[in-house]
Every structure is written in C-alpha cells, then in structure tokens.
Amino acid sequence: MSDQQPVTPAASTPAASRVPDKVSLDGLEERWDGIWTERSTYAFDRSKTREQVYSIDTPPPTVSGSLHVGHVFSYTHTDVVARFQRMRGREVFYPMGWDDNGLPTERRVQNYYGVRCDTSLPYDEAFVPPHEGGEGKSIKAADQLPISRRNFVELCERLTVEDEVQFEALWRRLGLSVDWSHHYQTIDARSRAVAQRAFLRNLERGEAYQAEAPGLWDVTFQTAVAQAELEARDYPGHFHRVAFHRTQDGTPIHIETTRPELIPAVVALIAHPDDERYQHLFGTTVRAPLFDVEIPVLAHPAAEPDKGAGIAMCCTFGDLTDVQWWRELQLPTRSVISRDGRLLRETPEWITSEAGRARYAELAGKTTFSARTAVVDGLRETGDLDGEPTATQRKANFFEKGDKPLEIVTSRQWYIRNGGRAEGKGEGLREKLLDRGTELAFHPDFMRVRYENWVGGLNGDWLISRQRFFGVSIPLWYPLDADGEVDYDHPIVPDEAALPIDPTSEVPAGYTAEQRGVPGGFVGEADVMDTWATSSLTPQIAGGWGWDEDLFSRVFPMDLRPQGQDIIRTWLFSTVVRSHLEHGSLPWAHAAISGWILDPDRKKMSKSKGNVVTPMGLLEEHGSDAVRYWAASARLGTDAAFEVGQMKIGRRLAIKVLNASKFALGFGAGAQGAAVTEPLDRAMLAGLADVVDQATAALDAYDHTRALELTETYFWTFCDDYLELVKDRAYGGGDAEPSAATLSARAALGLALDTLLRLLAPVLPFATEEVWSWWKEGSVHRAPWPVAAPLREAAGEIDPGMLGAAGRALAALRKVKSEAKVSMRYRVVGGELLVPVAEETLVRTALGDVLAAGRAQIALTAADVEVAVVRDAELAEPPAQ
C-alpha cells in the first residue's frame, strides 16, 4: 500500500455494463456503419465558425473501374486525421467527391453504349442508346452512333452512378468518417458551373488567354496535352548522320538526328556559341539536303557540344528544345506534321525548287514512320547519308495515357497563366507561386522540393483546352463576320448566372439557334477544359463557392489537402495556382503526401501495370480495422510494401482490444468515486500520461505512424504486464466490500481503458466503438481526445518505470515455470528473485502484485544483473481446487 494521499479520478457515469458473453470482430463494419448513419455521427455542423472547423479537401477517386488497395492506404491516412481532429474538438468538414470527368469515362461510355460524340449534332431529349450492358467490346468504333455532346455527357453521368454506389459501399466498409450528405461529381452541374465561373474570371483578369502556338499533340486521341501530363519513356530509334551544305562553297556540315523525316521542317542549324568547331559558320547559311531550302547557322547556349556532332537541326517542331530555339531566336514556323500524325498533304510553300517539291510530293500524307524510311532512302541516293543509321534508345514524350510519341503541332489553344512565361500578366507570377510553396506546410517537409523544382522548371503556361467531349465546356461563343470567318479576338461571354452552359448546344444571348454557323451569326467553342482545370477547384466545389457562400466562408481556405506524391506537379500545383489567382491565398494550410504501395517485387502498384490488389476481399478476410492498421503503420511520404502479415498483426490487435476490454470490465473497472492509491496503478497511469502527450504531439505533426507505435506498444504493456500483475487485486478475493487496493485497481483500469480506446479510435474505429458501447453512452468518435492532466493527477509523483520493472520481475518468475514445463498455476516457494540494483526500489514497492501474479513466496534481492532472474527456485503444485 502507498502512504501517499489517495487521488480520485474525474467522475464519470458509465452506462450499465453491456459486455457480451462472446466477443468477435465479425459483422462490426456493417452494424456500426448503420448506427453511425442513423445517428449522423459524422454529420458536419455548419453553424460552427471557421475557427472551429477543420476542413479537408478530400481527393475524388477516379470513377472508371474499381478502387485498389493503394486508395485504401492513402484514404486511411486522411481518415485518421479527420477522426483525431474531430475528437480534438474541431467540427470536421470531410466531403467526398467522384472524379468522373475525363478520358477513361469517355472511352467506357463509347464501348458500353455504342456511341460517340459529335459536337455538331443537336441535343435529342428522347435519345435512347443503341446498346447497353457489358463492355460493348464487340462494337467497332466505325459502328458507334454519333450523338450530341450533351447527350454524351448524360450517358457518362448515368454510367458513373453504378461505380459511385460501389465506391461508397467500400469506403463505408473501410470506416471513412465522411459526411455523405456532402459529395459531388467533377462533371455535375455545380462542378461545371464552378469551373466555368473560375475560367471566366481568369479571362476577365487577363489570366486566361488563347494563342496560336506550338503544343504537344497526341495523334491517337487527337488532343492537345499539357506539360504536366507528359511521361518520358524510352523509345527505339536510329541516329542518322546527314550532310547539309554551305551555300557559299558546298562544304558538307554533318548533323546527327533521329528524325530525318523532319528535314523539310528545318529552320536553322544551331551550335553552342563557345564551340570553336562552328564559330566560323555563325551568320552564314546552309542548304538542306533533298529539299534545297536555305537556312541560317545560329548560336544558342542550349546546344550541347558533346552530343552527336555538336550541331543540331532546329525543326518546327521536333521536340521542346526546338520550341525554345524557335521562340528565343524568332525563327519562322515551317510545320509539316498534321494533327493526324501524317505529313501535310500539300507541298509547303517554302520548298521552292522543282527537285525539292518533287521530293516532298513523295512524302505527302505519309505517316512519320513511312516518311522517315523514304527520306533515308533519298539521302542514300544523293550521298547525303554518311554511313548507315545506328540503333539507339532515345527518350520521347508520351501522353500519360497514350501509346505513341507526342508530336508538336501549331494550333489555337487556351492557356491559364501559371508562371511558366514571365512576360505581360505573367510577370512575377512564378516567384509568387514559389512563395506560396514556402507558406504551405508539407508533410513530410522534404516533399516541398518537388513543388519547387516543378515551378522552377516550367517552360510555358498551363494549356487547359482539350479536343475531347466528356469534359467541362469552355463557356464561350465566337461571332462570325460577314464572310463567315470566326472572330476569336472578341469571344461572346455568358452571364455567370447562366452557368453551366454547353456552347455547342446552347445559344448566346441576343442570337437565335438559326444563326449558328452562318455569316453574321456565331459558333460555339468546341473544346473542353482538361480534367485538372476542374480538379484544381475541388476546395471551391466541395465548399460551395458561388452557390453556398455561407458554407464557403466556414470551410475555406481549407486545412488539409491529402494526395499522392506523383500529382504534386498537377493537382497540388494547379490548385495553388487557381486559389492564388482567384482568392489571393493558399487553398489549404497543410498538404499530406502519401507514398506508393509496392508489390512483392518492390514495384509501384498501378492499374496500367496490372499488379493492383482490389481491397474488398482484404476487408472481408482480415477486417477493416486490420487493413487500416496496415495502412496507418506507414508514414506519409514513404513507400510501403503490400503486406498481409501486417494486416494479421492488426487483426490480432483489434481482437485483443475486445478481449482485454472484456477482461478489464469484468472487474467492474471505473467504479464511481474510486480512488487510485496503489503505486503500481499510479505508475501505469503515469506512463500512459506520457503516451498521451507524445501521441498527441505526433498526430499534431501529421505523424500517425509514430502515434500508433507509441499507443500500440503501451497497450501491449498494459495487457501483458499490468493486467496480469493487477488482476488478483482487482478481483478482490470475493470480498463483499472491496478493499481500497481493489478499488484502486478498478479505478486505474477504468481510466486506462477509457484513454487507450480513445487513443486507438482513429485507427481501429470499429473495435473501439464496440467496446465503448459496452459501458459508455454516445460514440467514442465524438468523445474528447484524451489529455494527460487527469492521468497525472491520479498518478501523483511516481516513477512510471515501475510498471516495466515489475513486469520484468514477473517474467522472470514465469520463465522458471516455462523452463520446467509446468503450469503457470504452480507456486514458486523458494529461491531468490534477483533484480538490477537500479530497479530494486521499484520492484519492492510493487512486490505484493508481483508475487501474487507470479504465485510466488520468494525473497527479493538487488544484484549485479542486467535483467530480473530467479536463482535456486523451488516449485510446488497448485493447491487442489
């Protein structure tokens, strides 16, 4: 017993015990999801002020198939934050969106319904698709029925509904504490209105503009591609050593190229200004082989002297370096690649010689592959090919969803300023966006450099127009002059109140439908915005910008953006751009960046690689708490292996929460008004107080893994050491009136269980809610997050190391029985319990509990040992029952 004054824990009024005879994890997910829905446990209270709210810009998963285990991984991280902040007293705004805007959905609809979009067609209110069901793979593209964009979008919306129902069911099974009354689609009317409203405001301020400029083009999908959508891949090719000839004397100047088919598009030869081999040529001209076009030899610091021949041909356009040279050296535009990936069918006007025009006529309309073969044959014929082509692997730019290298074509496109170009309205924007990156708290912090590198390396503004169908329309029309020519410089802008609009089927104010496409009338903008132009506005869409300003004022700027590391350059950056331009602020204060899930071969899991694992089977086999435990065991920003073994550990932990709680509550834990008087009880609570402080600090720093490690470790100490040490005293020997020592144990058990359940609740929501319901009213997830103060008050001034020292002493007693291969009920009736000198006082203070738990009558001695050990033990059979 302790001679300290007793400390009574804060009073609680537990409900009548509802501990079941048998405990199980089975069925908890379905039961508790139903109860949470019925009780609106996670409903957002919009009466709270912005200071009281914690708002999350939840990533909207792509609705084009199925979720995979990587989604479970990252969304669990977010849910841990949401649950923690809710228990900390913040009103959590946790919406869910569905990203059904984009190419994957478009292609599914084409196959599923047997249709394709034709923006020239009018809307048909009574349209019925010709096919429905399966994947429609038997329907060839040529057999797909053309329909209006509006009809096509309606089919996209219809098809995604089924996927969204399945996604929501999986998220509920996982235990995401989402408020399901706050959800959106990135193609629904509100999302379209928000995206169009933001675009019109960008246009009004001069941040959105259209330009006829070279841009990356996917010849398969027939659409422009933004810098952020590029994927560099190895692509087989050949180096060709080709002779150009000095205009002055015909001397050959050799270059090396992998794209000889672009020789008719050459506008200059370029070398580094310090390259002595070519300095005498700067300012002179050469003639291109086969096509006999005179071009200048120029200097530029981006030329690479140690690459190939050190002098390169600049074409319009072969790669992004060509674009840089073209722009900075003010070179002419001589494009020969058309949007379909074939060479122009008409001979270019800059090829003037009869022989050159005849050569080009042989190439007109050919694919780049066929044209390359023909040009190489021609170079052999004229002797301008030096040697034979040599094989190489070159890096080529691909659209992330494409199969063929991108071409660079000149076309009219829409852009939003993002700091990539410094002139005009873009002056100083890059620096401001870099400053925004400094303001933003990245978790982990080292992810910040990815943002900075991307912004620092931009070479052009954000190309947002796409030549697709299922997307948010660019909300403009253009007048036609008397000759029927489009006046792109004076777009017709709708009123914001009319949004969303589809300019291909709706008519601008002041015009009639009959004026579409006729001189003096109008045409609608046929392009749509890329998906990131809408997804970059998820805080505004979820928060009600433009349609629920009261809600928006309570949630924006948001607190958290959780997302993957691979889309820092796209989603994170583009969202920062839109918020900076529209609101003059960051869209959120924190960015939590998840790592990737790796397969057993340590490769990133992705649908394209075919190595993903779908999660529903895992949730059913192991239980949602177990899968959440695996996810929460990985830190933000680090890649994690897919490990079923970790899920098994998580299931064991969840089961232990049920069993240990049932065991503790069987003592009458948490008796009203009981005082914590015993040293061992106080030591346990002192150690738990330290865990509360440390776990809270970790979660405040977005380190859920550290918080889980601390809590889990102490929970097992509580189960393996404290429960075993204290159970005899907690039972009380059947006394009619429990002693103060018994009441102390029960009070400490109640305090510890109450605290541990709340610490574990963000990771194991189902098991902890189940136990909470056995003896508490309400939900553990609406209970306040534990604080250390009441634990420290109950513990008083005591060394928390006592519990560990007592546990090690008990382990020594049990080891004797294990080695003797006898039951733990055997008694130790002789010998010495040797403990390290530093632990002697701690163990002696708790000796009554140690000996009772170890069923021992043995002397305690301080000795020069590293860990407690029993010497000269004598064992006796337990007394007969």
Side-chain angles (χ1 to χ4, degrees), residues 493-506:
V493 179
D495 188 275
E496 283 189 7
L499 301 176
I501 64 158
D502 177 2
T504 66
S505 62
E506 298 178 53

Side-chain angles (χ1 to χ4, degrees), residues 40 158 201 227 446 458 464 499 531 540 614 638 671 712 843:
S40 300
R158 184 196 304 182
R201 294 189 172 201
Q227 183 181 353
F446 66 77
L458 288 169
I464 66 159
L499 301 176
T531 58
Q540 290 85 348
T614 54
T638 59
E712 180 187 11
V843 176

Side-chain angles (χ1 to χ4, degrees), residues 26 343 393 424 692 694 731 828 834:
D26 297 338
L343 269 66
Q393 282 282 354
V692 169
Q694 294 167 22
Y731 274 126
V828 181
L834 307 180

Side-chain angles (χ1 to χ4, degrees), residues 520-592:
F522 71 94
V523 293
E525 173 62 75
D527 288 355
V528 298
M529 302 183 209
D530 81 324
T531 58
W532 295 116
T534 302
S535 296
S536 62
L537 296 163
T538 50
Q540 290 85 348
I541 293 169
W545 180 62
W547 55 272
D548 191 342
E549 292 299 334
D550 175 74
L551 175 64
F552 192 65
S553 69
R554 298 176 193 275
V555 302
F556 186 89
M558 293 188 166
D559 292 274
L560 177 66
R561 154 64 70 80
Q563 67 162 72
Q565 58 185 303
D566 52 330
I567 50 175
I568 290 174
R569 63 193 175 98
T570 49
W571 193 32
L572 187 147
F573 173 59
S574 63
T575 311
V576 170
V577 170
R578 302 307 286 277
S579 182
H580 173 81
L581 295 177
E582 182 61 41
H583 307 288
S585 72
L586 280 171
W588 359 258
H590 300 268

Side-chain angles (χ1 to χ4, degrees), residues 796-818:
E797 296 295 329
I798 200 163
D799 188 342
M802 180 185 298
L803 177 58
R808 288 185 287 275
L810 176 60
L813 293 170
R814 291 186 161 183
K815 183 180 180 182
V816 171
K817 302 174 189 180
S818 296

Side-chain angles (χ1 to χ4, degrees), residues 764-843:
L764 308 177
F766 295 104
T768 54
E769 186 76 304
E770 175 70 6
V771 172
W772 196 262
S773 72
W774 296 345
W775 67 314
K776 299 277 189 179
E777 299 293 352
S779 171
V780 68
H781 305 297
R782 282 291 186 176
W785 184 254
V787 294
L791 300 173
R792 296 200 188 283
E793 180 184 353
E797 296 295 329
I798 200 163
D799 188 342
M802 180 185 298
L803 177 58
R808 288 185 287 275
L810 176 60
L813 293 170
R814 291 186 161 183
K815 183 180 180 182
V816 171
K817 302 174 189 180
S818 296
E819 290 178 346
K821 298 181 180 180
V822 298
S823 166
M824 290 297 152
R825 294 184 58 80
Y826 268 65
R827 294 172 296 138
V828 181
V829 295
E832 284 185 291
L833 173 60
L834 307 180
V835 298
V837 173
E839 296 184 357
E840 190 264 342
T841 300
L842 297 175
V843 176

Side-chain angles (χ1 to χ4, degrees), residues 15-218:
S17 177
R18 296 179 287 269
V19 182
D21 293 333
K22 293 184 178 180
V23 299
S24 173
L25 295 175
D26 297 338
L28 293 187
E29 293 90 350
E30 183 177 359
R31 183 159 71 87
W32 281 111
D33 175 62
I35 294 172
W36 292 333
T37 301
E38 179 185 344
R39 297 177 179 174
S40 300
T41 302
Y42 307 122
F44 174 67
D45 180 359
R46 63 179 299 152
S47 70
K48 301 298 184 181
T49 65
R50 180 64 191 90
E51 293 72 24
Q52 296 170 304
V53 169
Y54 186 92
S55 51
I56 300 173
D57 183 17
T58 317
T62 301
V63 183
S64 60
S66 61
L67 294 169
H68 60 77
V69 73
H71 291 102
V72 167
F73 177 73
S74 57
Y75 282 75
T76 296
H77 295 170
T78 307
D79 191 59
V80 170
V81 175
R83 292 180 178 278
F84 168 68
Q85 292 292 343
R86 192 178 289 114
M87 296 175 74
R88 287 277 269 174
R90 303 287 291 277
E91 189 60 32
V92 175
F93 180 68
Y94 189 11
M96 180 58 69
W98 309 116
D99 189 8
D100 40 20
N101 167 9
L103 185 60
T105 301
E106 183 179 318
R107 297 179 76 182
R108 282 192 74 204
V109 167
Q110 288 174 325
N111 289 329
Y112 193 90
Y113 293 113
V115 297
R116 59 182 173 84
C117 183
D118 184 339
T119 57
S120 68
L121 295 177
Y123 175 64
D124 180 358
E125 292 185 4
F127 175 73
V128 175
H131 177 83
E132 186 168 352
E135 289 299 316
K137 293 182 178 179
S138 61
I139 299 176
K140 297 179 181 178
D143 298 329
Q144 293 172 348
L145 179 68
I147 60 175
S148 74
R149 175 188 285 162
R150 188 170 167 188
N151 287 121
F152 191 85
V153 169
E154 288 179 353
L155 291 180
C156 291
E157 292 172 334
R158 184 196 304 182
L159 185 59
T160 55
V161 167
E162 181 180 343
D163 288 332
E164 289 162 8
V165 169
Q166 294 173 355
F167 281 26
E168 180 176 335
L170 189 142
W171 285 150
R172 286 179 176 274
R173 176 84 185 203
L174 182 63
L176 296 192
S177 57
V178 165
D179 181 349
W180 289 104
S181 67
H182 289 277
H183 67 274
Y184 63 88
Q185 299 169 308
T186 57
I187 198 63
D188 65 22
R190 286 176 176 172
S191 294
R192 296 201 305 273
V194 167
Q196 291 182 340
R197 182 189 194 201
F199 171 82
L200 292 177
R201 294 189 172 201
N202 292 138
L203 180 64
E204 183 180 10
R205 294 191 295 263
E207 297 152 359
Y209 65 93
Q210 57 182 327
E212 190 84 19
L216 294 158
W217 185 267
D218 188 287

